[in-house]
Amino acid sequence: MDTLSNYSVIRDVILPDGQKVPLLDIKMMSDEEWNRKATRQAVDHYKMTFGKDPESEAAACKWHHQVIDHVIATGGEIPWNHQ
């Protein structure tokens, strides 16, 4: 699938070396929306793992960061089992 055909070109940008690159009209997510979705995901993962609501969204986010750090440190070992 051709990526350029999925988005309209707003204009071309000329790089310092003279190369012309299309600037595409791609919808972006705001930081606020990203943070809302990441928080929701952390809370959902917490509930799935522990079977209960976290004490707070901040607690769920802290736990989720610890899980991600563990996965990165171990090369992909996931420290829970959703059976």
Side-chain angles (χ1 to χ4, degrees), residues 3-11 22-30:
T3 304
L4 292 177
S5 66
N6 293 325
Y7 303 99
S8 60
V9 176
I10 297 171
R11 65 183 173 94
L23 178 62
L24 303 178
D25 185 19
I26 299 174
K27 300 279 186 231
M28 303 296 284
M29 185 183 307
S30 70

Side-chain angles (χ1 to χ4, degrees), residues 33-51:
E33 184 177 357
W34 175 270
N35 288 326
R36 272 194 307 277
K37 289 178 183 251
T39 299
R40 181 80 253 148
Q41 190 68 32
V43 169
D44 289 348
H45 280 172
Y46 187 99
K47 288 171 147 178
M48 191 183 310
T49 301
F50 297 107

Side-chain angles (χ1 to χ4, degrees), residues 6-20:
N6 293 325
Y7 303 99
S8 60
V9 176
I10 297 171
R11 65 183 173 94
D12 289 325
V13 176
I14 308 298
L15 300 179
D17 66 1
Q19 182 180 3
K20 189 164 67 169

Side-chain angles (χ1 to χ4, degrees), residues 57-78:
E57 288 181 345
C61 289
K62 181 179 178 181
W63 168 80
H64 207 236
H65 283 278
Q66 291 169 341
V67 169
I68 292 167
D69 289 345
H70 175 84
V71 171
I72 291 169
T74 62
E77 176 187 307
I78 299 173

